[in-house]
């Protein structure tokens, strides 16, 4: 049986595993943001996150741990780190990202509301006015000449169907 490691070594391992759990939670959250969430996708992300957690835990235990073996507190610390990401950190990160995007997009929205939109409305109003004038001029010319407007449709008897 392997002797119990000293307390400083256990605390160091726990802190590193907490950080690894936070990182895995962030990667899983990023995958959800990048590729979407749905029942099947969330299942796939969860399975991949679980496999990555097992791989990281075993790799950390073999390479950097004070004892050289995977212990229960390492897995618990990684799980706690992932839960901390989900319940505490992700909300603050998402709020900060929304605020950053709002600040970066605000000048574009301001320019669109006060520069592009009024020009677009004036242009559309001018187009409507021209169309209205053309329509009324065409109707007035037909009324003045006394002719009926020419039927541009084909005779029903001569239309061939495929």
């Amino acid at each position: 049986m392997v002797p119990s490691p000293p307390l400083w070594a256990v605390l160091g391992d726990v802190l590193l595993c907490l950080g690894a759990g936070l990182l895995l939670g962030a990667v899983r959250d990023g995958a959800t943001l990048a590729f979407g969430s749905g029942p099947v996708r969330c299942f796939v992300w969860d399975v991949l996150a679980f496999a990555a957690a097992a791989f990281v835990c075993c790799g950390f235990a073999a390479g950097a741990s004070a004892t050289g073996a995977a212990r229960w507190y390492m897995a618990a610390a990684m799980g706690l780190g992932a839960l901390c990401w989900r319940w505490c950190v992700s909300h603050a990160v998402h709020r900060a990202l929304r605020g950053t995007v709002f600040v970066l997009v605000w000048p574009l929205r301001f320019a669109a509301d006060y520069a592009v939109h009024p020009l677009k409305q004036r242009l559309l109003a001018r187009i409507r006015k021209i169309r209205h004038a053309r329509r009324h001029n065409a109707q007035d010319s037909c009324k003045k000449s006394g002719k009926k407007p020419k039927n541009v449709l084909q005779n029903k008897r001569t239309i061939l169907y495929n």
Side-chain angles (χ1 to χ4, degrees):
M1 185 160 189
V2 178
S4 152
L7 184 60
W8 62 267
V10 171
L11 289 177
D13 289 348
V14 167
L15 286 175
L16 286 171
C17 287
L18 273 170
L22 281 169
L23 183 64
L24 284 171
V27 169
R28 195 236 181 262
D29 194 27
T32 302
L33 289 173
F35 300 109
S37 63
V40 175
R41 287 183 187 155
C42 282
F43 176 74
V44 170
W45 301 142
D46 288 340
V47 168
L48 288 175
F50 181 78
F55 181 76
V56 168
C57 186
C58 291
F60 168 74
S65 173
T67 60
R71 301 229 174 201
W72 67 270
Y73 55 81
M74 293 179 187
M78 287 186 81
L80 185 62
L83 287 176
C84 284
W85 174 265
R86 175 81 175 140
W87 290 337
C88 302
V89 179
S90 69
H91 299 297
V93 169
H94 290 183
R95 195 175 309 122
L97 284 175
R98 275 194 302 269
T100 303
V101 168
F102 177 78
V103 167
L104 292 176
V105 172
W106 181 79
L108 298 174
R109 293 184 68 197
F110 182 80
D113 288 344
Y114 291 102
V116 176
H117 190 68
L119 291 175
K120 180 180 164 186
Q121 291 301 320
R122 279 190 235 142
L123 182 64
L124 288 175
R126 187 177 297 160
I127 289 171
R128 275 190 223 109
K129 185 177 178 182
I130 291 170
R131 285 183 182 168
H132 183 73
R134 284 183 185 167
R135 198 174 298 130
H136 283 292
N137 286 342
Q139 288 175 357
D140 290 343
S141 67
C142 288
K143 287 180 184 177
K144 288 179 184 175
S145 66
K147 293 190 223 171
K148 290 186 178 180
K150 184 178 178 184
N151 188 4
V152 293
L153 298 175
Q154 294 179 356
N155 190 356
K156 289 182 182 177
R157 290 184 216 146
T158 61
I159 295 177
L160 299 176
Y161 295 99
N162 291 336

